[in-house]
Amino acid sequence: MKPALSFQQHPAPYTWQQFPHGDYLQNDVERKMQPWLERMFGYHLLKIGDLSVQLDTSASPIKHQVGVAARSQQAGVLAEVDELPFYEGSVDACILSLCLEYNSDPHHILREAHRTLIAGGYIVITGFNPFSFCGAASLIPFSRQKLPWSGRFFTPSRVKDWLDLLGFELVADERFLHASLARGSRLSRFARWRSFCRQYLKPMGSVYMLVARKRVTPLTPIKPKWHARPSFKPAIKGVEVSRRHRRAHPED
């Protein structure tokens, strides 16, 4: 297994339109997120990354929504996604869409999201599944130099392990978009094939979505250890009392 930390520079997307069938991909991600966004309540929602900022999250009842990215013009805060300029425990929900694949330290990004989330806060992650038709397309020669295959595809199980180590509780694990996303392919032509895959080949969806909540650690008070008092007096004290009595009454 390759380490998560990488110092190699990978071409990163700034807009959804840079992907093959980018508009279709964005609409599908928004459609899958919508039922979960409706369940999230609070005061602040954080969208992390250039692509997350561009998502339509109006279905969420959280009114104050802030986008954080390094270059996107739609971002409300310009900052690095692995150094979030927010207080600890100040955000109710975080969205990371296709962000881990194109950053050098994805685990640190998750740590920053965990730090800013309140106890019980939600995190929604979408990414490319390497064990899918899209992942198989990376075997085509020279595809590594093109989007989306220029990024590092992490398996959903590995991302779930990272979340578990950070203290998240997994709520949902979904796969969707059964297509190779290769440029030039017509998605409408394979509508019946995608319907068959959704029914019988669910784990092979090209995009995964993980929904998790930050665990609440209860404070367990440490009870003092009470020692039971003996109901009898030690034998040594009894001997001393008898000696004192004999000294006071030698005639006895």
Side-chain angles (χ1 to χ4, degrees), residues 32-47 57-63 65 91-96 117-118 120-125 171-172 209-213:
K32 278 292 181 180
M33 278 190 179
Q34 182 175 352
W36 290 102
L37 292 175
E38 295 172 353
R39 306 181 188 182
M40 300 176 188
F41 298 92
Y43 298 98
H44 310 289
L45 184 144
L46 196 61
K47 297 190 285 187
T57 55
S58 58
S60 173
I62 302 177
K63 300 303 180 183
Q65 301 182 7
V91 178
D92 299 278
C94 287
I95 294 178
L96 285 164
L117 277 174
I118 65 170
Y122 283 90
I123 183 171
V124 183
I125 302 173
V171 178
M209 183 180 70
L210 302 177
V211 183
R213 295 191 72 179

Side-chain angles (χ1 to χ4, degrees), residues 50 109 135 139 252:
D50 295 295
I109 296 175
L139 302 177
D252 293 344

Side-chain angles (χ1 to χ4, degrees), residues 76-93:
V77 176
L78 293 177
E80 297 295 334
V81 294
D82 56 353
E83 295 293 340
L84 299 177
F86 299 101
Y87 288 116
E88 181 177 352
S90 59
V91 178
D92 299 278

Side-chain angles (χ1 to χ4, degrees), residues 24 26-35 176-177 198:
Y24 183 87
Q26 180 180 0
N27 293 334
D28 223 19
V29 170
E30 292 173 347
R31 180 178 59 85
K32 278 292 181 180
M33 278 190 179
Q34 182 175 352
F176 56 98
L177 195 56
R198 284 194 297 266

